[in-house]
Protein backbone atom coordinates (compact mmCIF):
# COMPACT_ATOMS: atom_id res chain seq x y z
CA UNK A 1 0.00 0.00 0.00
CA UNK A 2 1.73 3.23 -1.13
CA UNK A 3 1.85 6.25 1.19
CA UNK A 4 1.13 9.72 -0.16
CA UNK A 5 4.82 10.56 0.31
CA UNK A 6 5.79 7.60 -1.92
CA UNK A 7 3.47 8.92 -4.58
CA UNK A 8 4.88 12.43 -4.31
CA UNK A 9 8.30 10.97 -5.10
CA UNK A 10 6.84 9.11 -8.07
CA UNK A 11 5.36 12.38 -9.34
CA UNK A 12 8.73 14.12 -9.01
CA UNK A 13 10.41 11.35 -11.02
CA UNK A 14 7.57 11.01 -13.56
CA UNK A 15 8.95 11.21 -17.13
CA UNK A 16 5.51 12.42 -18.28
CA UNK A 17 5.15 15.13 -15.62
CA UNK A 18 5.74 18.01 -18.04
CA UNK A 19 2.54 17.22 -19.96
CA UNK A 20 0.21 18.18 -17.12
CA UNK A 21 0.96 21.90 -17.55
CA UNK A 22 0.07 21.62 -21.21
CA UNK A 23 -3.58 21.03 -20.21
CA UNK A 24 -6.15 23.56 -18.99
CA UNK A 25 -7.20 21.72 -15.83
CA UNK A 26 -9.14 23.78 -13.26
CA UNK A 27 -7.49 24.28 -9.88
CA UNK A 28 -8.77 21.89 -7.22
CA UNK A 29 -10.26 19.39 -9.67
CA UNK A 30 -9.15 15.79 -10.10
CA UNK A 31 -10.39 14.88 -13.54
CA UNK A 32 -11.16 11.17 -13.85
CA UNK A 33 -13.32 11.36 -16.95
CA UNK A 34 -10.69 11.57 -19.67
CA UNK A 35 -12.01 8.20 -20.87
CA UNK A 36 -15.22 10.00 -21.82
CA UNK A 37 -14.14 13.54 -22.74
CA UNK A 38 -10.39 14.19 -22.67
CA UNK A 39 -9.13 17.38 -21.01
CA UNK A 40 -8.36 20.46 -23.09
CA UNK A 41 -4.80 20.96 -24.30
CA UNK A 42 -3.91 24.63 -23.69
CA UNK A 43 -2.69 24.98 -27.24
CA UNK A 44 -6.10 24.05 -28.69
CA UNK A 45 -7.60 27.49 -28.10
CA UNK A 46 -4.75 29.25 -29.91
CA UNK A 47 -4.81 26.76 -32.78
CA UNK A 48 -8.57 27.16 -33.20
CA UNK A 49 -8.23 30.95 -33.13
CA UNK A 50 -5.61 30.66 -35.87
CA UNK A 51 -7.85 28.48 -38.01
CA UNK A 52 -10.81 30.83 -37.54
CA UNK A 53 -8.93 34.11 -37.98
CA UNK A 54 -6.25 33.35 -40.53
CA UNK A 55 -7.21 30.18 -42.36
CA UNK A 56 -10.96 30.76 -42.60
CA UNK A 57 -11.07 34.55 -42.08
CA UNK A 58 -8.25 35.59 -44.38
CA UNK A 59 -7.43 32.66 -46.65
CA UNK A 60 -11.08 31.71 -47.08
CA UNK A 61 -11.73 28.90 -49.52
CA UNK A 62 -8.10 28.78 -50.68
CA UNK A 63 -7.41 27.03 -47.36
CA UNK A 64 -8.57 23.71 -48.75
CA UNK A 65 -5.31 23.64 -50.70
CA UNK A 66 -3.12 26.32 -49.10
CA UNK A 67 -3.62 25.22 -45.51
CA UNK A 68 -4.03 21.52 -46.23
CA UNK A 69 -7.67 21.29 -45.12
CA UNK A 70 -8.42 18.63 -47.72
CA UNK A 71 -5.62 16.46 -46.35
CA UNK A 72 -6.91 16.34 -42.77
CA UNK A 73 -8.49 12.84 -42.90
CA UNK A 74 -5.33 11.21 -44.25
CA UNK A 75 -2.85 13.36 -42.31
CA UNK A 76 -4.54 12.76 -38.97
CA UNK A 77 -5.09 9.14 -39.97
CA UNK A 78 -1.32 8.80 -40.34
CA UNK A 79 -0.87 10.11 -36.79
CA UNK A 80 -3.51 7.81 -35.32
CA UNK A 81 -1.89 4.91 -37.20
CA UNK A 82 1.27 5.34 -35.11
CA UNK A 83 -0.77 4.83 -31.94
CA UNK A 84 -2.61 1.72 -33.06
CA UNK A 85 0.03 -0.34 -34.84
CA UNK A 86 -1.14 0.44 -38.36
CA UNK A 87 0.44 1.91 -41.48
CA UNK A 88 -0.36 5.48 -42.46
CA UNK A 89 -2.35 4.43 -45.54
CA UNK A 90 -4.64 2.19 -43.47
CA UNK A 91 -6.27 4.86 -41.29
CA UNK A 92 -8.55 7.84 -41.96
CA UNK A 93 -9.91 10.34 -39.48
CA UNK A 94 -13.52 11.04 -40.38
CA UNK A 95 -17.16 10.90 -39.26
CA UNK A 96 -18.10 9.33 -35.92
CA UNK A 97 -17.25 5.98 -34.36
CA UNK A 98 -20.79 4.68 -34.96
CA UNK A 99 -20.76 5.73 -38.62
CA UNK A 100 -17.35 4.20 -39.19
CA UNK A 101 -18.54 1.02 -37.52
CA UNK A 102 -21.44 0.88 -39.97
CA UNK A 103 -18.97 1.17 -42.86
CA UNK A 104 -16.66 -1.51 -41.44
CA UNK A 105 -19.43 -4.01 -40.61
CA UNK A 106 -20.97 -3.56 -44.06
CA UNK A 107 -17.62 -4.17 -45.74
CA UNK A 108 -16.97 -7.26 -43.63
CA UNK A 109 -20.44 -8.73 -44.34
CA UNK A 110 -19.93 -8.10 -48.07
CA UNK A 111 -16.72 -10.09 -47.88
CA UNK A 112 -18.47 -13.15 -46.43
CA UNK A 113 -21.60 -13.51 -48.62
CA UNK A 114 -22.09 -17.15 -47.63
CA UNK A 115 -22.34 -16.34 -43.87
CA UNK A 116 -25.14 -14.62 -41.96
CA UNK A 117 -24.04 -13.83 -38.43
CA UNK A 118 -22.64 -10.67 -36.88
CA UNK A 119 -21.35 -11.95 -33.53
CA UNK A 120 -21.09 -9.44 -30.68
CA UNK A 121 -20.31 -9.36 -27.01
CA UNK A 122 -23.58 -8.64 -25.13
CA UNK A 123 -21.68 -6.16 -22.94
CA UNK A 124 -20.46 -4.17 -25.93
CA UNK A 125 -21.18 -0.44 -26.11
CA UNK A 126 -24.90 -0.16 -26.95
CA UNK A 127 -24.36 2.08 -29.98
CA UNK A 128 -22.22 -0.67 -31.54
CA UNK A 129 -25.04 -3.17 -31.01
CA UNK A 130 -27.64 -0.77 -32.39
CA UNK A 131 -25.56 -0.20 -35.52
CA UNK A 132 -25.12 -3.94 -36.02
CA UNK A 133 -28.88 -4.53 -35.54
CA UNK A 134 -29.74 -1.64 -37.85
CA UNK A 135 -27.53 -3.12 -40.53
CA UNK A 136 -28.96 -6.62 -40.06
CA UNK A 137 -32.54 -5.28 -40.37
CA UNK A 138 -31.66 -4.01 -43.84
CA UNK A 139 -30.04 -7.22 -45.00
CA UNK A 140 -32.26 -10.28 -45.14
CA UNK A 141 -29.11 -12.39 -45.22
CA UNK A 142 -27.78 -11.07 -41.86
CA UNK A 143 -28.56 -11.48 -38.17
CA UNK A 144 -26.92 -10.38 -34.91
CA UNK A 145 -25.97 -12.99 -32.30
CA UNK A 146 -25.10 -11.76 -28.80
CA UNK A 147 -23.03 -13.82 -26.39
CA UNK A 148 -21.37 -13.29 -23.01
CA UNK A 149 -17.83 -11.87 -22.99
CA UNK A 150 -16.42 -15.17 -21.68
CA UNK A 151 -18.16 -17.28 -24.37
CA UNK A 152 -16.88 -15.33 -27.34
CA UNK A 153 -14.04 -17.50 -28.56
CA UNK A 154 -16.19 -20.65 -28.45
CA UNK A 155 -19.09 -18.95 -30.27
CA UNK A 156 -17.20 -18.21 -33.49
CA UNK A 157 -18.40 -20.96 -35.84
CA UNK A 158 -18.73 -21.23 -39.60
CA UNK A 159 -21.97 -19.20 -39.67
CA UNK A 160 -20.16 -16.10 -38.38
CA UNK A 161 -19.23 -13.51 -40.99
CA UNK A 162 -17.87 -10.90 -38.61
CA UNK A 163 -17.17 -10.49 -34.90
CA UNK A 164 -17.55 -6.96 -33.52
CA UNK A 165 -15.83 -6.19 -30.23
CA UNK A 166 -14.74 -3.24 -28.14
CA UNK A 167 -11.18 -3.88 -27.03
CA UNK A 168 -11.67 -2.27 -23.60
CA UNK A 169 -15.20 -2.60 -22.21
CA UNK A 170 -16.65 0.88 -21.56
CA UNK A 171 -18.26 -0.16 -18.27
CA UNK A 172 -15.84 -2.52 -16.62
CA UNK A 173 -12.52 -1.65 -18.26
CA UNK A 174 -11.98 -5.33 -19.22
CA UNK A 175 -9.27 -5.59 -21.91
CA UNK A 176 -9.80 -8.27 -24.56
CA UNK A 177 -6.86 -10.21 -25.95
CA UNK A 178 -6.87 -8.78 -29.46
CA UNK A 179 -4.33 -11.17 -30.96
CA UNK A 180 -6.00 -14.33 -29.58
CA UNK A 181 -9.56 -13.36 -30.54
CA UNK A 182 -8.52 -12.22 -34.02
CA UNK A 183 -6.72 -15.54 -34.50
CA UNK A 184 -9.78 -17.49 -33.30
CA UNK A 185 -12.02 -15.55 -35.72
CA UNK A 186 -9.68 -16.10 -38.66
CA UNK A 187 -9.35 -19.81 -37.90
CA UNK A 188 -13.15 -20.02 -38.18
CA UNK A 189 -13.11 -18.03 -41.42
CA UNK A 190 -14.63 -14.86 -39.87
CA UNK A 191 -13.44 -11.25 -39.88
CA UNK A 192 -13.17 -8.93 -36.85
CA UNK A 193 -14.06 -5.27 -36.35
CA UNK A 194 -12.39 -3.81 -33.28
CA UNK A 195 -13.74 -0.71 -31.50
CA UNK A 196 -10.75 1.04 -29.93
CA UNK A 197 -12.71 3.88 -28.29
CA UNK A 198 -11.39 3.06 -24.80
CA UNK A 199 -7.94 1.85 -25.81
CA UNK A 200 -6.54 4.28 -28.41
CA UNK A 201 -4.17 6.58 -26.56
CA UNK A 202 -4.49 4.53 -23.37
CA UNK A 203 -2.39 1.46 -24.20
CA UNK A 204 -0.20 0.07 -26.99
CA UNK A 205 -2.27 -1.50 -29.78
CA UNK A 206 -0.83 -3.60 -32.56
CA UNK A 207 -3.52 -4.01 -35.22
CA UNK A 208 -1.13 -5.22 -37.89
CA UNK A 209 0.70 -7.51 -35.48
CA UNK A 210 -2.65 -9.09 -34.54
CA UNK A 211 -3.61 -9.43 -38.22
CA UNK A 212 -6.72 -7.31 -37.55
CA UNK A 213 -9.20 -6.61 -40.34
CA UNK A 214 -11.10 -3.44 -39.40
CA UNK A 215 -11.08 -1.01 -36.48
CA UNK A 216 -12.80 2.18 -35.40
CA UNK A 217 -12.31 4.56 -32.47
CA UNK A 218 -13.01 7.97 -30.92
CA UNK A 219 -10.98 11.17 -31.06
CA UNK A 220 -12.49 12.82 -27.99
CA UNK A 221 -11.49 10.42 -25.23
CA UNK A 222 -7.81 9.65 -24.53
CA UNK A 223 -6.79 11.50 -27.74
CA UNK A 224 -8.03 14.80 -26.27
CA UNK A 225 -9.51 16.05 -29.53
CA UNK A 226 -12.40 17.98 -27.90
CA UNK A 227 -16.15 17.41 -27.64
CA UNK A 228 -17.30 15.16 -30.51
CA UNK A 229 -13.92 15.24 -32.23
CA UNK A 230 -13.88 13.19 -35.44
CA UNK A 231 -13.39 9.45 -35.14
CA UNK A 232 -11.09 7.09 -37.06
CA UNK A 233 -11.41 4.07 -39.31
CA UNK A 234 -8.75 1.42 -39.96
CA UNK A 235 -8.93 -1.05 -42.86
CA UNK A 236 -6.10 -3.56 -43.30
CA UNK A 237 -4.47 -2.89 -46.65
CA UNK A 238 -5.38 -6.37 -47.94
CA UNK A 239 -9.12 -5.57 -47.70
CA UNK A 240 -9.13 -2.04 -49.06
CA UNK A 241 -9.64 -2.70 -52.77
CA UNK A 242 -12.60 -5.03 -52.06
CA UNK A 243 -14.73 -2.37 -50.39
CA UNK A 244 -17.92 -1.14 -52.06
CA UNK A 245 -18.60 1.84 -49.76
CA UNK A 246 -22.09 1.87 -48.22
CA UNK A 247 -21.92 5.68 -47.94
CA UNK A 248 -20.32 6.58 -51.26
CA UNK A 249 -20.01 10.33 -50.81
CA UNK A 250 -18.12 12.58 -53.17
CA UNK A 251 -14.88 12.70 -51.17
CA UNK A 252 -14.48 8.95 -51.63
CA UNK A 253 -14.81 9.30 -55.41
CA UNK A 254 -11.70 8.68 -57.52
CA UNK A 255 -11.88 12.31 -58.70
CA UNK A 256 -14.16 14.38 -56.45
CA UNK A 257 -13.57 17.51 -58.44
CA UNK A 258 -14.41 15.89 -61.78
CA UNK A 259 -18.05 16.04 -60.55
CA UNK A 260 -18.82 12.86 -62.45
CA UNK A 261 -22.42 11.70 -62.55
CA UNK A 262 -21.17 8.15 -62.09
CA UNK A 263 -19.54 6.97 -58.90
CA UNK A 264 -16.05 5.50 -59.15
CA UNK A 265 -14.40 4.69 -55.81
CA UNK A 266 -10.96 6.12 -55.07
CA UNK A 267 -8.08 3.68 -54.92
CA UNK A 268 -7.27 2.35 -51.46
CA UNK A 269 -8.41 3.80 -48.17
CA UNK A 270 -9.77 7.11 -49.45
CA UNK A 271 -12.93 5.48 -50.83
CA UNK A 272 -14.14 5.21 -47.22
CA UNK A 273 -14.54 8.97 -46.97
CA UNK A 274 -18.01 10.34 -47.39
CA UNK A 275 -17.95 14.12 -46.89
CA UNK A 276 -15.56 17.01 -46.43
CA UNK A 277 -13.81 16.94 -43.03
CA UNK A 278 -14.98 19.18 -40.19
CA UNK A 279 -12.05 21.61 -40.13
CA UNK A 280 -12.31 23.14 -36.67
CA UNK A 281 -12.78 19.73 -35.10
CA UNK A 282 -9.90 18.25 -37.08
CA UNK A 283 -7.56 21.10 -36.12
CA UNK A 284 -8.40 20.56 -32.45
CA UNK A 285 -7.83 16.83 -32.70
CA UNK A 286 -4.42 17.33 -34.27
CA UNK A 287 -3.24 19.22 -31.17
CA UNK A 288 -4.28 16.29 -28.98
CA UNK A 289 -2.69 13.72 -31.26
CA UNK A 290 0.63 15.56 -31.36
CA UNK A 291 0.80 15.56 -27.56
CA UNK A 292 0.06 11.83 -27.45
CA UNK A 293 2.76 11.03 -29.98
CA UNK A 294 5.23 13.19 -28.10
CA UNK A 295 4.54 11.33 -24.84
CA UNK A 296 4.88 7.82 -26.27
CA UNK A 297 2.31 5.10 -25.73
CA UNK A 298 4.56 2.71 -23.75
CA UNK A 299 5.36 5.34 -21.11
CA UNK A 300 1.64 6.15 -20.93
CA UNK A 301 0.70 2.50 -20.35
CA UNK A 302 3.25 2.08 -17.55
CA UNK A 303 1.92 5.13 -15.77
CA UNK A 304 -1.72 4.24 -16.42
CA UNK A 305 -1.30 0.86 -14.70
CA UNK A 306 0.43 2.48 -11.74
CA UNK A 307 -2.45 4.96 -11.39
CA UNK A 308 -5.23 2.35 -11.56
CA UNK A 309 -3.31 0.09 -9.16
CA UNK A 310 -2.91 2.87 -6.61
CA UNK A 311 -6.59 3.79 -6.81
CA UNK A 312 -7.73 0.18 -6.39
CA UNK A 313 -5.44 -0.41 -3.44
CA UNK A 314 -6.35 2.77 -1.57
CA UNK A 315 -10.09 2.24 -2.15
CA UNK A 316 -9.84 -1.33 -0.91
CA UNK A 317 -8.02 -0.27 2.21
CA UNK A 318 -10.14 2.80 2.97
CA UNK A 319 -13.58 1.48 1.93
CA UNK A 320 -13.40 -2.23 2.84
CA UNK A 321 -16.43 -4.21 1.69
CA UNK A 322 -18.29 -1.15 0.38
CA UNK A 323 -17.77 -1.66 -3.36
CA UNK A 324 -17.40 -4.56 -5.76
CA UNK A 325 -14.48 -4.11 -8.12
CA UNK A 326 -15.85 -4.48 -11.67
CA UNK A 327 -12.43 -3.96 -13.28
CA UNK A 328 -10.03 -6.89 -13.62
CA UNK A 329 -7.40 -7.05 -10.90
CA UNK A 330 -4.98 -8.55 -13.43
CA UNK A 331 -3.20 -5.57 -15.02
CA UNK A 332 -2.83 -7.47 -18.30
CA UNK A 333 -6.64 -7.51 -18.63
CA UNK A 334 -7.24 -3.92 -17.49
CA UNK A 335 -7.70 -0.81 -19.62
CA UNK A 336 -7.07 2.64 -18.13
CA UNK A 337 -10.11 2.89 -15.88
CA UNK A 338 -11.38 1.56 -12.59
CA UNK A 339 -15.07 0.72 -12.18
CA UNK A 340 -16.74 0.04 -8.87
CA UNK A 341 -20.22 -1.31 -8.31
CA UNK A 342 -22.57 0.16 -5.70
CA UNK A 343 -26.39 0.41 -5.73
CA UNK A 344 -26.13 4.12 -4.86
CA UNK A 345 -23.48 4.73 -7.52
CA UNK A 346 -25.17 7.74 -9.12
CA UNK A 347 -25.48 9.72 -5.88
CA UNK A 348 -21.96 8.78 -4.77
CA UNK A 349 -20.49 10.06 -8.06
CA UNK A 350 -22.43 13.32 -7.68
CA UNK A 351 -21.17 13.76 -4.11
CA UNK A 352 -17.62 13.16 -5.32
CA UNK A 353 -18.03 15.74 -8.08
CA UNK A 354 -19.11 18.23 -5.42
CA UNK A 355 -15.72 17.54 -3.79
CA UNK A 356 -13.91 18.23 -7.07
CA UNK A 357 -13.32 14.61 -8.13
CA UNK A 358 -14.98 14.13 -11.52
CA UNK A 359 -15.87 10.59 -12.53
CA UNK A 360 -19.09 9.33 -14.06
CA UNK A 361 -21.86 6.79 -13.62
CA UNK A 362 -23.04 4.04 -15.95
CA UNK A 363 -26.40 2.44 -15.19
CA UNK A 364 -27.38 0.44 -13.30
CA UNK A 365 -24.64 0.58 -10.65
CA UNK A 366 -21.19 1.44 -12.04
CA UNK A 367 -19.01 4.28 -10.70
CA UNK A 368 -16.44 4.82 -13.46
CA UNK A 369 -13.06 6.47 -12.99
CA UNK A 370 -10.86 7.01 -16.04
CA UNK A 371 -7.12 7.53 -15.50
CA UNK A 372 -5.65 9.54 -18.37
CA UNK A 373 -1.92 9.18 -17.69
CA UNK A 374 -0.96 12.17 -19.81
CA UNK A 375 -2.16 14.74 -17.29
CA UNK A 376 -2.90 12.93 -14.01
CA UNK A 377 -0.46 12.65 -11.11
CA UNK A 378 0.13 9.61 -8.93
CA UNK A 379 -1.06 11.71 -5.97
CA UNK A 380 -4.35 12.37 -7.84
CA UNK A 381 -5.12 8.65 -7.74
CA UNK A 382 -4.47 8.62 -3.97
CA UNK A 383 -6.43 11.84 -3.27
CA UNK A 384 -9.39 10.68 -5.35
CA UNK A 385 -9.60 7.44 -3.38
CA UNK A 386 -9.38 9.40 -0.11
CA UNK A 387 -12.21 11.69 -1.30
CA UNK A 388 -14.33 8.62 -2.05
CA UNK A 389 -13.62 7.30 1.44
CA UNK A 390 -14.73 10.64 2.92
CA UNK A 391 -17.98 10.64 0.90
CA UNK A 392 -18.72 7.15 2.21
CA UNK A 393 -17.70 7.77 5.83
CA UNK A 394 -19.81 10.92 6.09
CA UNK A 395 -22.60 9.48 3.94
CA UNK A 396 -22.58 12.68 1.90
CA UNK A 397 -24.28 10.89 -0.99
CA UNK A 398 -27.52 10.74 1.00
CA UNK A 399 -28.19 14.43 0.35
CA UNK A 400 -31.22 15.00 -1.92
CA UNK A 401 -29.30 17.21 -4.34
CA UNK A 402 -27.10 14.27 -5.33
CA UNK A 403 -30.11 12.15 -6.34
CA UNK A 404 -31.56 14.38 -9.05
CA UNK A 405 -30.67 12.53 -12.25
CA UNK A 406 -29.42 14.66 -15.14
CA UNK A 407 -29.79 13.49 -18.74
CA UNK A 408 -26.06 12.85 -19.15
CA UNK A 409 -24.71 10.74 -16.33
C1 LIG B 1 -16.94 1.94 -27.10
C2 LIG B 1 -17.68 3.04 -27.80
N1 LIG B 1 -18.08 2.86 -29.06
C3 LIG B 1 -18.76 3.80 -29.73
C4 LIG B 1 -19.07 5.01 -29.13
C5 LIG B 1 -19.88 6.00 -29.89
O1 LIG B 1 -19.11 7.01 -30.44
P1 LIG B 1 -19.75 8.08 -31.44
O2 LIG B 1 -20.59 9.00 -30.62
O3 LIG B 1 -18.54 8.75 -32.03
O4 LIG B 1 -20.53 7.36 -32.47
C6 LIG B 1 -18.63 5.25 -27.83
C7 LIG B 1 -18.94 6.54 -27.17
O5 LIG B 1 -18.64 6.80 -26.05
C8 LIG B 1 -17.93 4.24 -27.14
O6 LIG B 1 -17.55 4.40 -25.87
Amino acid sequence: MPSRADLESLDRADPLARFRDLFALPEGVIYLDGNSLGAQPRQTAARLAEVVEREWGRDLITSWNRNGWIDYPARLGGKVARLIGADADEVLVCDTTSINLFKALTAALDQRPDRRVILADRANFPSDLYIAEGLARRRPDATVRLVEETELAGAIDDSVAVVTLTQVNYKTGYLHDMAALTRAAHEAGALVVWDLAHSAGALPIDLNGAGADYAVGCGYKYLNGGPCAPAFLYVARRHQAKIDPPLPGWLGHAEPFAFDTDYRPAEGMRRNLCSMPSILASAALEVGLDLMLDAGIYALRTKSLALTETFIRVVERRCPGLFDLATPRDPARRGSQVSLRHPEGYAIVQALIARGVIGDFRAPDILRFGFAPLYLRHTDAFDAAEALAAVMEREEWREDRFRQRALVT
Side-chain angles (χ1 to χ4, degrees):
M1 171 68 205
S3 69
R4 198 172 191 289
D6 295 336
L7 297 167
E8 282 167 9
S9 336
L10 279 183
D11 282 333
R12 278 192 297 274
D14 178 6
L16 297 172
R18 70 186 170 92
F19 286 96
R20 181 177 171 82
D21 280 346
L22 305 181
F23 284 84
L25 292 161
E27 200 58 45
V29 164
I30 300 179
Y31 189 59
L32 304 185
D33 226 343
N35 55 322
S36 199
L37 172 64
Q40 187 202 112
R42 286 187 195 280
Q43 205 200 322
T44 305
R47 175 65 187 130
L48 287 183
E50 186 187 25
V51 176
V52 170
E53 286 161 20
R54 180 174 67 78
E55 299 188 9
W56 179 17
R58 193 194 70 192
D59 296 346
L60 291 161
I61 202 166
T62 67
S63 280
W64 286 105
N65 295 314
R66 186 184 296 183
N67 294 310
W69 284 2
I70 197 71
D71 303 323
Y72 262 123
R75 188 169 77 244
L76 300 193
K79 293 185 179 192
V80 171
R82 290 162 56 193
L83 292 170
I84 61 176
D87 289 332
D89 63 352
E90 294 178 307
V91 185
L92 286 174
V93 163
C94 55
D95 302 317
T96 68
T97 307
S98 303
I99 291 171
N100 287 329
L101 182 70
F102 178 78
K103 297 180 204 170
L105 285 177
T106 305
L109 273 184
D110 287 347
Q111 276 178 257
R112 292 288 180 273
D114 50 335
R115 295 176 172 223
R116 307 184 58 233
V117 174
I118 303 174
L119 182 71
D121 166 2
R122 193 183 299 282
N124 201 345
F125 190 73
S127 188
D128 293 27
L129 302 180
Y130 306 156
I131 292 286
E133 297 278 6
L135 176 57
R137 280 198 296 276
R138 277 156 187 77
R139 298 187 50 145
D141 56 328
T143 177
V144 177
R145 188 188 296 157
L146 301 182
V147 293
E148 302 305 319
E149 199 165 69
T150 46
E151 294 164 5
L152 269 167
I156 314 175
D157 59 26
D158 61 10
S159 65
V160 175
V162 52
V163 187
T164 179
L165 293 172
T166 296
Q167 191 189 11
V168 171
N169 183 279
Y170 75 104
K171 260 190 190 171
T172 63
Y174 177 84
L175 168 62
H176 279 298
D177 184 337
M178 177 183 279
L181 282 167
T182 303
R183 204 178 316 114
H186 289 176
E187 278 166 8
L191 299 166
V192 188
V193 180
W194 285 102
D195 180 337
L196 309 178
H198 292 271
S199 43
L203 48 101
I205 300 167
D206 188 5
L207 287 172
N208 284 346
D213 301 293
Y214 297 89
V216 298
C218 293
Y220 48 81
K221 299 180 188 287
Y222 293 100
L223 303 182
N224 304 311
C228 300
F232 61 86
L233 170 68
Y234 158 89
V235 181
R237 197 180 294 113
R238 64 184 179 282
H239 297 316
Q240 291 178 3
K242 297 170 200 153
I243 292 181
D244 174 11
L247 299 171
W250 68 308
L251 258 263
H253 190 278
E255 290 180 88
F257 285 84
F259 297 104
D260 249 347
T261 307
D262 297 325
Y263 179 76
R264 270 182 300 122
E267 289 293 318
M269 192 63 192
R270 193 167 62 76
R271 68 180 57 187
N272 299 297
L273 287 182
C274 183
S275 309
M276 288 291 214
S278 168
I279 297 306
L280 292 172
S282 300
L285 175 57
E286 190 160 29
V287 175
L289 282 171
D290 286 343
L291 288 174
M292 253 309 135
L293 290 169
D294 186 9
I297 198 70
Y298 290 94
L300 287 165
R301 177 63 169 163
T302 305
K303 185 173 170 193
S304 148
L305 288 179
L307 294 171
T308 50
E309 193 66 34
T310 296
F311 185 75
I312 291 171
R313 289 169 72 174
V314 180
V315 169
E316 287 187 333
R317 196 192 58 172
R318 298 281 286 108
C319 310
L322 289 184
F323 298 99
D324 287 334
L325 181 64
T327 302
R329 199 169 289 275
D330 173 6
R333 297 271 61 85
R334 192 191 305 152
S336 198
Q337 73 186 56
V338 178
S339 302
L340 307 173
R341 289 187 199 279
H342 191 289
E344 296 292 346
Y346 182 80
I348 296 169
V349 166
Q350 299 313 306
L352 260 180
I353 293 173
R355 281 181 166 265
V357 177
I358 302 182
D360 63 23
F361 171 75
R362 288 294 173 261
D365 60 356
I366 295 262
L367 298 84
R368 202 171 64 146
F369 303 101
F371 288 85
L374 197 55
Y375 45 78
L376 289 176
R377 297 167 294 210
H378 294 277
T379 41
D380 291 330
F382 183 94
D383 294 345
E386 286 291 332
L388 180 59
V391 164
M392 299 313 288
E393 267 160 27
R394 298 174 199 182
E395 300 196 356
E396 289 169 359
W397 53 271
R398 288 191 187 277
E399 287 181 41
D400 281 348
R401 63 185 173 128
F402 297 138
R403 295 167 170 276
Q404 320 297 329
R405 289 240 180 161
L407 192 58
V408 178
T409 62

